[in-house]
Amino acid sequence: MTIWILGATGRTGREIATRVAARGGTPVLVGRNADRLRKTAADLGLGGVEVIATDDLPGEIGRRRPAVVVNTIGGYAETAVPIARACLPGGGHYVDLANDLVAMPRLLALHDEAAAAGSTFVTGAGFGVLGVEAVVARLCADRVTPSRVRVDALPSVTIEGGPLGEALAQSIVSGLTTGGLRFENGRMVPTRPAADPREHALPDGEKAKSAGAPTGELLAAQLSSGAPEVVSTSGLMPTAPVLRAVLPLIRSLLKIGALRRFAVRRLGAIELKPAPRPREHSWGHAVVTWADGTTREGWLRAGDAMEFTTSVTAETAVRLARGEGRAGAYTPARALGPELAEAAGATICQL
Ligand SMILES: NC(=O)c1ccc[n+]([C@@H]2O[C@H](COP(=O)([O-])OP(=O)(O)OC[C@H]3O[C@@H](n4cnc5c(N)ncnc54)[C@H](OP(=O)(O)O)[C@@H]3O)[C@@H](O)[C@H]2O)c1
């Protein structure tokens, strides 16, 4: 049950370590600075746990062979593959919180290597990906492949305050530079950024807006349904016409390497003011349509999206440590079933 948390001094790393311990797993706090790691362990009430400070994560993993590695250091397009590969000897497992369409396909491309080693690799262990794919999986259970799927990820998050951080800034900038994407005839094709804005009447009577987002939910919805036509929107995308109009310009500017690095540094240094979450619930939503015209709609309800994310990651890590995952590389519900979302605190309902 030894579960290494890489980036354990960070926002998600700390929470995941606490939740792994609460589920009976043995977290090991891994980072770059031993003093900060020991202080984090003490702050979390995990004084007895092992801490490992290293500048060579793949090397250390290869030497010590933990049962599960949870990667919260971000920059997943570059960090995920070497760290996951280091888990392969001995059949170690790997989990990350990626949610972008560069990093996730790279990790999923390791499927055959992971399957051959008896390892399970899970990418996208967070609110958005599991929040929509769990609903799609339930709606599609025991049915033929649908022709069309639409998913919407509508997170509600409490802002703790403090710097945004470069790991999260990198994810935001990566989302802005990817441009709009959708599946047509089974292939991912470009579309306008923040396309298809809409307002949702939520099951609890509240309202939320969303627009097209080139994020992991799109890929997860396609993989869990097999549908040739898939669109995905996110509540984190701007829906105001003026902002949607300038997105193509921002995207072009951020493609310039120096500007992109500058934007990540500046964005990461922004001090967030503490704020309560705007709505009580976060929602994942899916509408699935079959060739005969049948349509099914479902919702996943969670509380704070960040708490749900860290709960999903901890639950995934503990299940993998128990040997419950299928060997190969997957998104969370495909590795462990849609009930993973319920074990992490969500409710799924079909209309
Ligand atoms: N999918 C989702 O729903 C979801 C939700 C939340 C977050 N995320 C993603 O999860 C990642 C972590 O977010 P966060 O808010 O926890 O970030 P954070 O607070 O900035 O923490 C990042 C941690 O990683 C460490 N780190 C950064 N770069 C490293 C490197 N090159 N080598 C070793 N350690 C490194 C940092 O250590 P130091 O203290 O040494 O700097 C810190 O402990 C981000 O990519 C974010 O986008 C995804």
Side-chain angles (χ1 to χ4, degrees):
M1 291 290 270
T2 303
I3 296 169
W4 283 22
I5 318 288
L6 315 187
T9 57
R11 213 171 355 222
T12 54
R14 287 192 307 256
E15 269 300 307
I16 293 164
T18 308
R19 290 173 187 269
V20 162
R23 285 165 162 80
T26 306
V28 173
L29 307 192
V30 185
R32 294 185 278 203
N33 180 298
D35 290 340
R36 283 211 305 275
L37 287 165
R38 277 192 286 269
K39 181 175 179 330
T40 300
D43 291 348
L44 297 176
L46 297 173
V49 308
E50 187 181 0
V51 305
I52 297 174
T54 177
D55 289 323
D56 176 17
L57 290 169
E60 200 66 23
I61 292 164
R63 278 188 289 280
R64 307 270 301 263
R65 300 194 178 178
V68 181
V69 169
V70 177
N71 178 1
T72 80
I73 73 173
Y76 293 116
E78 277 74 42
T79 67
V81 168
I83 290 173
R85 276 214 170 107
C87 299
L88 289 171
H93 309 299
Y94 169 90
V95 188
D96 71 36
L97 290 77
N99 189 16
D100 69 81
L101 293 170
V102 180
M104 289 179 64
R106 285 185 188 170
L107 198 278
L108 295 173
L110 301 185
H111 179 78
D112 291 346
E113 285 177 56
S119 297
T120 307
F121 293 171
V122 176
T123 185
F127 166 74
V129 168
L130 182 61
V132 300
E133 74 167 351
V135 185
V136 172
R138 279 280 158 83
L139 297 178
C140 293
D142 306 323
R143 297 290 310 258
V144 296
T145 302
S147 51
R148 227 171 38 245
V149 171
R150 178 198 167 98
V151 292
D152 309 288
L154 307 167
S156 179
V157 179
T158 308
I159 309 287
E160 281 175 16
L164 180 82
E166 285 203 12
L168 187 52
Q170 215 164 29
S171 299
I172 294 169
V173 168
S174 156
L176 287 172
T177 44
T178 308
L181 289 167
R182 60 188 290 152
F183 275 92
E184 258 176 39
N185 298 319
R187 290 182 44 237
M188 212 183 277
V189 296
T191 182
R192 205 187 141 72
D196 202 12
R198 58 159 48 194
E199 187 166 26
H200 306 266
L202 302 172
D204 61 1
E206 298 239 43
K207 287 194 163 40
K209 291 180 179 173
S210 68
T215 46
E217 292 88 349
L218 178 71
L219 181 60
Q222 204 284 327
L223 291 173
S224 55
S225 65
E229 313 288 322
V230 183
V231 294
S232 168
T233 78
S234 166
L236 298 178
M237 287 303 279
T239 51
V242 63
L243 279 175
R244 293 176 58 235
V246 297
L247 273 180
L249 174 65
I250 293 174
R251 183 181 168 220
S252 305
L253 289 173
L254 289 177
K255 279 187 173 166
I256 302 166
L259 278 182
R260 188 184 167 107
R261 287 189 290 278
F262 174 76
V264 169
R265 273 200 309 279
R266 290 301 296 264
L267 201 59
I270 286 176
E271 286 285 328
L272 301 174
K273 291 202 181 99
R277 62 184 195 257
R279 298 185 312 274
E280 188 182 352
H281 298 120
S282 300
W283 295 94
H285 178 224
V287 181
V288 180
T289 307
W290 281 266
D292 65 2
T294 314
T295 291
R296 283 184 176 178
E297 179 176 9
W299 292 88
L300 171 142
R301 188 188 68 209
D304 183 285
M306 194 62 91
E307 285 178 20
F308 180 67
T309 289
T310 53
S311 180
V312 167
T313 310
E315 184 68 31
T316 302
V318 169
R319 286 178 179 227
L320 295 188
R322 287 196 214 114
E324 292 177 17
R326 292 197 289 158
Y330 302 101
T331 50
R334 284 169 59 73
L336 292 159
E339 54 278 7
L340 174 70
E342 286 152 337
T347 307
I348 303 172
C349 64
Q350 189 182 328
L351 294 186

